């Protein structure tokens, strides 16, 4: 064992909750030795309170907590996953059968952790009683759904798809089965027996079969259909809910419909409705069902192929022989059968390893039903790879429970970099963030001379507002970076709007390229021609303001009118405004003014274009004094 000068254990997102007579401590734990991460994951530790002390009941870190957004329920749902010993061993590409284990009423997935079913599984796998498998343990958020309706779909659709995508399961109904206790036993039957496209085995421990109407539903099932299944049922003769009665009814239905007596078993033994009853029979039930779910052997014989590395992608070609039809699953027709002839799932896995560590791991699933060739490529993320050290790329293809190593590509690290002569843009700059560029090694992609590309900081059109002149307006475009430097036009393209003659708003579209990326729109305005004030007529409480009417035609539109503002302050603070309609107007009266008072007056033209007013600049102010009051 490696020696470290210091070991640091750090827990985050910790919580304590009560589960029956136990206290459960759950946290995300990270263990580091001399700043090297040794472990990162969830821990579950169970304690009992005895004599005023917390006594450790057990650690169940073999269970992994996961979650999935469920389309069925419309929310994120949790589940636990048991992965067998050796799942993460280097070079292991084995795929496993999956058991969906359902908890009982008013319970949750932690019940099976408390019952230490992981230890039962470990021991049974180690002594060869059962094969290695993956176990998915969903949580029913209501704790009372009996795994019906949307909560059944949550398991059989959403969680099943997530498990097949995230873990090395065998995505075939012949390698999936359900199990559960009480409410979970009823759910295991209603999901397992009546979803033949997804499952072919059922284990019911004192199952609430009447709550899911299982015996009545099974009445329509044919012998051909039932003989695709393996069913294990058991219940205690002291069951508080008398579930042994409905279990016996279910057994009679299966027998009456001709199900092979070697494919289902039904026992009623001494015991009650509790963990003490099911735990001694837990492995027995798994052994019974999995022994009868076996698919054809030698399926890997239909696979052959090769793979090559091209740049940072692995291109592979997988041939499927004509014998594929011997391994297809044929599901008898029934009211529950969706696809009687499903494709055979062929997962292709590409793994990159270096120094015993997995650098990249990706899997693509392909459905086949006849002789064919799968040709595809997997783009590799080698950002964690040390290019100066050797590494290997392994390509696997699987069919049912057999996996074939298609290709093992050995790559040597290089000792000396060959540097490009030109910079490579690693991240173009935008208006929101800096970019970067560097010199790359043409062999491994290592970088040097990393240089920041300052972000785009200022884009301006000068002037941004111009008075109508009758010709096309071309404002001056200036683009600067955050360091205040002008950005060269070679890094952007400008799309100018049509027209740019008449009064209105126009937008330049700037599309960046090269060291920069993104698109920015910059508007400018063309405003109408203004006018000037002429000699007014002044009275003691009013001023008749006069101006030169602006009759110039601007394209097809004339100005809409004028706006006057006036104030006793030269700054025009607290100015009042008066609007005058009509381009022919040339005067208006400002009433209710103070006598013997100086007023500052300005005027501007206004034009309405498509419902928006555009104003000229204000004229020079006229300064007028009202008369004395006698």
């Amino acid at each position: 064992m490696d020696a470290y000068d210091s070991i640091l254990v750090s827990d985050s997102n910790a919580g304590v909750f009560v589960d029956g007579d136990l206290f459960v401590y759950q946290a995300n734990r990270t263990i580091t030795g001399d700043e090297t991460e040794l472990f990162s994951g969830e821990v579950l530790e169970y304690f009992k309170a005895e004599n005023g002390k917390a006594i450790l009941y057990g650690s169940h870190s073999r269970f992994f907590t996961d979650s999935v957004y469920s389309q069925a329920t419309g929310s994120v749902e949790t589940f636990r996953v048991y992965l067998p010993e050796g799942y993460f061993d280097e070079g292991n590409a084995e795929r496993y059968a999956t058991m969906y284990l359902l908890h009982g009423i008013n319970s949750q997935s932690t019940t099976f952790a408390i019952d230490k079913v992981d230890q039962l599984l470990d021991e049974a796998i180690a002594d060869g009683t059962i094969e290695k498998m993956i176990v998915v343990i969903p949580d029913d958020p209501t704790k009372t759904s009996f795994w019906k309706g949307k909560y059944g779909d949550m398991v059989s659709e959403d969680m099943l798809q997530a498990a097949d995508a995230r873990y090395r399961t065998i995505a075939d109904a012949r390698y999936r089965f359900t199990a559960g206790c009480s409410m979970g036993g009823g759910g295991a039957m209603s999901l397992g027996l009546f979803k033949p496209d997804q499952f072919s085995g059922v284990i019911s421990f004192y199952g609430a079969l009447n709550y899911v109407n299982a015996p009545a539903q099974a009445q329509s099932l044919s012998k051909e259909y039932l003989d695709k299944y393996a069913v294990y049922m058991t219940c205690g003769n002291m069951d508080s809910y008398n579930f042994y009665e409905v279990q016996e009814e279910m057994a009679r239905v299966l027998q009456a419909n001709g199900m092979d007596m070697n494919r289902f078993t039904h026992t009623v033994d001494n015991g009650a409705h509790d963990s003490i009853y099911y735990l001694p029979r837990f492995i027995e039930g798994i052994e019974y069902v999995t022994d009868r779910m076996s698919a054809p052997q030698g399926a890997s014989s239909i696979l052959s192929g090769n793979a090559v590395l091209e740049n940072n992608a692995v291109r592979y070609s997988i041939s499927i022989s004509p014998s594929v039809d011997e391994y297809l699953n044929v599901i008898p027709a029934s009211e529950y059968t969706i696809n009687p002839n499903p494709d055979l799932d062929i997962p292709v896995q590409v793994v990159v390893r270096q120094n015993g560590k997995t650098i990249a791991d990706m899997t693509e699933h392909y459905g086949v039903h006849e002789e064919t060739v799968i040709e595809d490529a997997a783009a590799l993320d080698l950002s964690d790879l040390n290019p100066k050290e050797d590494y290997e790329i392994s390509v696997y293809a699987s069919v049912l429970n057999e996996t074939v190593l298609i290709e093992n590509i050995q790559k040597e690290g290089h000792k000396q970099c060959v540097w490009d002569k030109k910079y490579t843009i690693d991240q173009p700059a935008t208006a929101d963030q800096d970019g970067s560029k560097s010199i790359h090694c043409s062999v491994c992609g290592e970088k040097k001379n990393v240089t920041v590309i300052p972000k785009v900081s200022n884009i301006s059109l000068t002037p941004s507002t111009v008075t109508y002149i009758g010709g096309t307006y071309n404002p001056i475009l200036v683009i600067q970076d955050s360091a205040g430097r002008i950005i060269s036009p070679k890094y952007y393209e400008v799309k100018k709007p049509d027209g740019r003659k008449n009064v209105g708003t126009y937008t330049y579209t700037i599309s960046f390229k090269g060291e920069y990326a993104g698109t920015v729109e910059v508007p400018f305005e063309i405003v109408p021609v203004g006018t000037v004030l002429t000699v007014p007529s002044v009275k003691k409480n009013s001023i008749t303001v006069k101006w030169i009417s602006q009759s110039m035609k601007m394209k097809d539109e004339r100005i809409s009118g004028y706006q006057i503002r006036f104030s006793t302050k030269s700054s025009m603070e607290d100015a009042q405004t008066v609007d005058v309609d009509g381009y022919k107007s040339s005067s208006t009266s400002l009433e209710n003014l103070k006598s013997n008072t100086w007023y500052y007056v300005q005027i501007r033209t206004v034009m309405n274009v498509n419902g928006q007013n555009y104003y000229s600049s204000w004229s020079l102010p006229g300064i007028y004094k009202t008369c004395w009051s006698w």
Side-chain angles (χ1 to χ4, degrees):
M1 182 176 180
D2 296 335
Y4 297 94
D5 293 330
S6 64
I7 298 287
L8 176 63
V9 180
S10 176
D11 285 1
S12 61
N13 299 324
V16 178
F17 57 95
V18 177
D19 194 341
D21 60 346
L22 299 176
F23 297 92
V24 184
Y25 175 80
Q26 180 173 350
N28 293 326
R29 176 166 294 169
T30 302
I31 303 176
T32 54
D34 294 342
E35 299 184 354
T36 298
E37 186 174 280
L38 306 177
F39 171 82
S40 179
E42 185 193 60
V43 293
L44 286 172
E45 294 174 343
Y46 291 74
F47 297 86
K48 278 188 175 181
E50 294 181 0
N51 300 322
K53 295 182 179 180
I55 307 299
L56 183 64
Y57 178 75
S59 175
H60 299 268
S61 58
R62 285 297 304 282
F63 287 106
F64 298 82
T65 300
D66 207 339
S67 63
V68 63
Y69 176 80
S70 170
Q71 296 287 344
T73 66
S75 60
V76 175
E77 307 295 354
T78 60
F79 59 97
R80 293 182 183 276
V81 180
Y82 165 88
L83 300 177
E85 188 73 34
Y87 182 90
F88 293 107
D89 286 355
E90 183 179 356
N92 180 18
E94 185 178 358
R95 308 190 81 84
Y96 305 94
T98 313
M99 174 171 66
Y100 285 79
L101 183 58
L102 310 178
H103 65 71
I105 196 167
N106 295 325
S107 186
Q108 54 192 8
S109 62
T110 53
T111 298
F112 295 110
I114 294 172
D115 286 344
K116 301 182 181 180
V117 299
D118 57 333
Q119 295 180 21
L120 296 177
L121 290 165
D122 286 346
E123 293 167 3
I125 290 170
D127 65 23
T129 303
I130 60 175
E131 298 292 328
K132 291 182 178 181
M133 68 181 62
I134 292 172
V135 182
V136 177
I137 313 175
D139 278 306
D140 169 12
T142 71
K143 300 184 179 181
T144 58
S145 74
F146 284 87
W147 305 103
K148 296 190 294 186
K150 63 182 180 181
Y151 295 102
D153 293 341
M154 171 188 78
V155 176
S156 62
E157 300 294 336
D158 303 317
M159 290 185 180
L160 186 148
Q161 290 182 18
D164 284 348
R166 300 174 190 178
Y167 305 101
R168 294 199 308 275
T169 65
I170 302 172
D172 190 289
R174 292 168 288 183
Y175 285 87
R176 296 194 199 101
F177 62 103
T178 57
C181 299
S182 189
M183 179 183 88
M189 186 67 72
S190 65
L191 290 179
L193 191 61
F194 303 108
K195 289 187 178 290
D197 298 72
Q198 296 162 327
F199 305 103
S200 60
V202 179
I203 301 172
S204 172
F205 299 109
Y206 42 85
L209 307 183
N210 52 328
Y211 282 82
V212 295
N213 205 27
Q217 282 188 277
Q219 295 282 353
S220 64
L221 301 181
S222 67
K223 172 178 172 54
E224 182 187 19
Y225 181 104
L226 291 170
D227 283 347
K228 298 288 286 188
Y229 275 90
V231 177
Y232 176 98
M233 298 182 292
T234 187
C235 186
N237 57 11
M238 293 180 286
D239 186 90
S240 53
Y241 300 99
N242 296 336
F243 284 159
Y244 49 81
E245 294 179 354
V246 68
Q247 179 181 297
E248 290 174 343
E249 181 184 357
M250 187 71 186
R252 287 194 297 270
V253 171
L254 298 180
Q255 186 173 3
N257 287 2
M259 185 175 185
D260 188 336
M261 295 295 289
N262 290 320
R263 299 194 66 81
F264 83 93
T265 181
H266 144 62
T267 59
V268 177
D269 294 330
N270 292 327
H273 191 94
D274 53 29
S275 298
I276 296 174
Y277 184 82
Y278 93 86
L279 283 171
R281 296 165 176 81
F282 184 69
I283 298 300
E284 177 186 288
I286 295 173
E287 182 183 14
Y288 182 90
V289 167
T290 54
D291 282 352
R292 289 158 177 78
M293 287 174 56
S294 58
Q297 300 300 304
S300 61
S301 62
I302 70 172
L303 297 175
S304 62
N306 58 75
V308 295
L309 178 64
E310 297 178 353
N311 297 321
N312 280 348
V314 173
R315 185 167 296 280
Y316 49 81
S317 177
I318 312 294
S319 297
I320 311 299
S321 79
S323 301
V324 64
D325 57 359
E326 299 175 14
Y327 303 96
L328 296 173
N329 191 16
V330 179
I331 302 173
S334 75
E335 60 183 299
Y336 307 109
T337 303
I338 297 174
N339 183 5
N341 300 107
D343 286 344
L344 188 63
D345 180 66
I346 307 292
V348 177
Q349 182 182 15
V350 179
V351 184
V352 182
R353 301 185 184 92
Q354 185 177 63
N355 296 329
K357 178 182 178 182
T358 298
I359 303 298
D361 188 346
M362 58 210 73
T363 300
E364 189 70 36
H365 291 260
Y366 303 90
V368 302
H369 60 274
E370 60 186 4
E371 178 184 10
T372 188
V373 176
I374 299 169
E375 293 186 333
D376 207 344
L380 302 177
D381 179 5
L382 302 179
S383 55
D384 292 334
L385 187 75
N386 184 341
K388 296 186 177 181
E389 294 188 7
D390 297 348
Y391 63 97
E392 66 176 359
I393 302 172
S394 300
V395 181
Y396 304 93
S398 301
V399 56
L400 300 179
N401 62 335
E402 299 182 21
T403 298
V404 175
L405 176 62
I406 297 296
E407 202 77 61
N408 186 260
I409 304 170
Q410 300 290 330
K411 294 294 293 181
E412 293 184 359
H414 66 286
K415 307 305 178 185
Q416 186 172 358
C417 287
V418 179
W419 299 106
D420 294 337
K421 293 182 179 180
K422 295 183 179 180
Y423 275 91
T424 295
I425 308 303
D426 300 313
Q427 176 68 48
T430 67
D432 298 317
Q433 63 180 19
D434 293 339
S436 65
K437 61 182 179 179
S438 60
I439 300 294
H440 284 205
C441 169
S442 60
V443 179
C444 69
E446 186 176 338
K447 304 174 185 178
K448 71 174 184 178
N449 299 346
V450 178
T451 303
V452 173
I453 305 172
K455 67 182 179 181
V456 179
S457 180
N458 178 53
I459 304 176
S460 62
L461 291 172
T462 305
S464 59
T465 302
V466 66
T467 299
Y468 170 82
I469 58 174
T472 300
Y473 177 49
N474 291 292
I476 298 171
L477 174 65
V478 176
I479 303 179
Q480 295 174 295
D481 64 21
S482 57
R485 294 174 297 207
I486 299 294
I487 295 176
S488 169
K490 70 180 181 180
Y491 293 122
Y492 58 85
E493 295 177 349
V494 180
K495 182 179 180 182
K496 299 180 180 181
D498 295 334
R500 308 196 310 282
K501 292 182 178 181
N502 300 323
V503 172
T505 299
Y506 300 87
T507 301
Y508 273 29
T509 302
I510 294 93
S511 300
F512 289 98
K513 59 184 180 179
E515 295 186 357
Y516 301 85
T519 301
V520 178
E521 294 184 340
V522 186
F524 68 91
E525 288 186 351
I526 298 177
V527 298
V529 176
T531 188
V532 294
L533 296 169
T534 59
V535 179
S537 175
V538 179
K539 297 181 180 180
K540 67 176 180 179
N541 295 115
S542 66
I543 299 173
T544 299
V545 180
K546 300 179 182 180
W547 60 85
I548 298 174
S549 62
Q550 179 52 264
S551 60
M552 180 189 295
K553 249 192 170 183
M554 287 169 259
K555 196 72 175 175
D556 298 323
E557 300 289 337
R558 295 184 185 274
I559 63 171
S560 308
Y562 305 86
Q563 187 176 72
I564 294 94
R565 68 176 181 180
F566 60 97
S567 173
T568 57
K569 299 177 182 179
S570 60
S571 64
M572 286 295 174
E573 185 180 353
D574 300 326
Q576 299 180 60
T577 60
V578 174
D579 294 316
V580 180
D581 293 333
Y583 73 92
K584 291 183 179 181
S585 300
S586 59
S587 67
T588 191
S589 181
L590 308 180
E591 303 291 341
N592 300 318
L593 305 181
K594 296 179 182 179
S595 63
N596 194 33
T597 301
W598 288 101
Y599 282 90
Y600 297 86
V601 182
Q602 288 180 298
I603 189 170
R604 63 181 180 180
T605 62
V606 56
M607 176 181 283
N608 187 277
V609 179
N610 297 324
Q612 180 176 341
N613 285 335
Y614 292 88
Y615 297 91
S616 71
S617 57
W618 290 105
S619 68
L620 292 174
I623 308 173
Y624 314 127
K625 188 176 184 181
T626 53
C627 300
W628 283 94
S629 176
W630 301 97

